[in-house]
Every structure is written in C-alpha cells, then in structure tokens.
Amino acid sequence: MRSNVVGLVAAAALLASAGIAHAKSPVKLTDGQLDNITAGASPASATLAANIATTGALNYAGAVNTAVAANLAATASPSAVGTAAAADLGAAAAYNNLVAASTSAAIIAGTP
C-alpha cells in the first residue's frame, strides 16, 4: 500500500511541475546579478539526493537477491513456490520504490 502512495505522490509531483517549463523571453542580467548566480544544487541537497537514490537502489538489490534465492529454493522444493511468489512481489514493490526514490532524488538535486 505504501509503495502505491509513494508512486501516486511522485506522479502528482511530476504532473504539477509540467507547467513550470513555460518561460517568457530572455532577460539580460547585469554583471552584479551574474556574480550572484550559482548553477546546480547546493551540496546539502546533492548529498540528500544521493542518499535517497542509494537507499532505493540498495533496497531494490536486496529484494532482488531475496527473490532469486526464493526462486531457486522453489525449483528444488515445490512447497516453496508461495515464498518465491511473495519474494517476487516484494522485488516488484522495491522496484516501484526505487523509481519513486529516483524521481525524488532528481527533484531534490534540481532544487537550489
């Protein structure tokens, strides 16, 4: 259930940000204004984005490892098929969370 909510929130954030790209004509900046411009994200937000993306990737990798082991066990013992199916569903949920974490990381990294 949690993964569905995270996916829904990520989709809503993506749709809400679609109107941001409509910009007006270019604006000329003075030298003083150009001196105050920084490109990219702050180091703190970049670190947070990296941590979110890494956590999502590690959780997904762990779920895949669990699913692979459960599927191998199911080939040896048919009674373990239910465990393998549950592990496969867990890996799918972890993938959904990975996509949401990657989207969140991209939004955070792009926020100055």
Side-chain angles (χ1 to χ4, degrees):
M1 180 67 182
R2 181 178 183 275
S3 62
N4 290 339
V5 172
V6 171
L8 182 62
V9 169
L14 184 63
L15 290 173
S17 67
I20 295 174
H22 300 294
K24 294 183 180 180
S25 61
V27 175
K28 292 191 179 214
L29 300 176
T30 65
D31 287 338
Q33 290 171 320
L34 289 172
D35 288 341
N36 293 326
I37 294 176
T38 57
S42 68
S45 64
T47 301
L48 177 62
N51 288 342
I52 289 173
T54 301
T55 301
L58 290 174
N59 288 342
Y60 176 63
V64 168
N65 286 339
T66 301
V68 168
N71 284 310
L72 289 174
T75 59
S77 171
S79 64
V81 169
T83 302
D88 292 340
L89 290 173
Y95 177 76
N96 189 26
N97 288 339
L98 173 64
V99 171
S102 298
T103 303
S104 297
I107 291 169
I108 291 168
T111 303

